[in-house]
Amino acid sequence: MRPLDPPLFSADQIARRVVELAHEIDADLEAKGRSGDLLLIAVLKGSVVFVADLMRGMATPVSIEFIRARGYEGTESSGNVELTYLPEQSVAGRNVLLVEDILDTGRTADVILQRLRAEGPAHLALCALLDKPSRREVEVEADYVGFTIDDFFVVGYGLDYNQQGRDWPAIHVLPE
Ligand code: IMP
Ligand code: MG
């Protein structure tokens, strides 16, 4: 599969927006006196590229864990989300930022947030590179959003279509 030009967001546009987000998060943590010990939890696999850039754009020292949720086949959400990999450290008492590639129906983020909340983090926030609010089926709102988009299926910068396209530097609408 090859990207369809022009991209929805170019690599340069993404890079600029991710740095802005990183600074916004830094500023918030600073303002709220939480800049000491941030734990990023990145949702595999889609947010790997995003979190790599985000954490390097932040001045706040972070540690990183991963979580894996399955429940998406092709372009349709199955509505059924299973956690297949969990963070190695507990989030109890920690200041946590969950990092997602995209919020679609919201089911994945919802299940993960509930799971993390149950462990009793000191603070829990959500950052999503992309948000498709028109697709939402459960109530989930991100504290930080890179770009809000219409109901397109997008590929690149970590996001896949059947495991392809994660390596594309830009974000493209999936060719029909
Ligand atoms: P949700 O549970 O429906 O919110 O879907 C979230 C997950 O579905 C994301 O973490 C992505 O892995 C996948 N997903 C949703 N929309 C897209 C898209 O446009 N492109 C690629 N993956 C998507
Ligand atoms: Mg996916």
Side-chain angles (χ1 to χ4, degrees), residues 90-161:
S90 163
V91 303
R94 302 290 301 274
N95 179 23
V96 178
L97 180 64
L98 182 66
V99 181
E100 256 278 37
D101 53 355
I102 187 163
L103 285 179
D104 187 45
T105 65
R107 291 186 188 284
T108 306
D110 184 52
V111 167
I112 295 172
L113 288 168
Q114 281 184 40
R115 167 77 193 219
L116 296 177
R117 236 176 250 129
E119 285 180 38
H123 189 263
L124 178 60
L126 172 62
C127 175
L129 176 65
L130 297 162
D131 188 9
K132 291 197 266 192
S134 67
R135 294 259 312 162
R136 205 71 96 250
E137 290 172 14
V138 294
E139 212 173 298
V140 178
E141 220 186 302
D143 301 272
Y144 309 96
V145 172
F147 303 100
T148 299
I149 62 171
D150 289 331
D151 183 9
F152 301 124
F153 196 86
V154 290
V155 180
Y157 195 72
L159 291 110
D160 74 305
Y161 173 66

Side-chain angles (χ1 to χ4, degrees), residues 2-15:
R2 301 263 172 200
L4 190 72
D5 276 331
L8 185 59
F9 300 110
S10 69
D12 277 354
Q13 271 176 293
I14 299 167

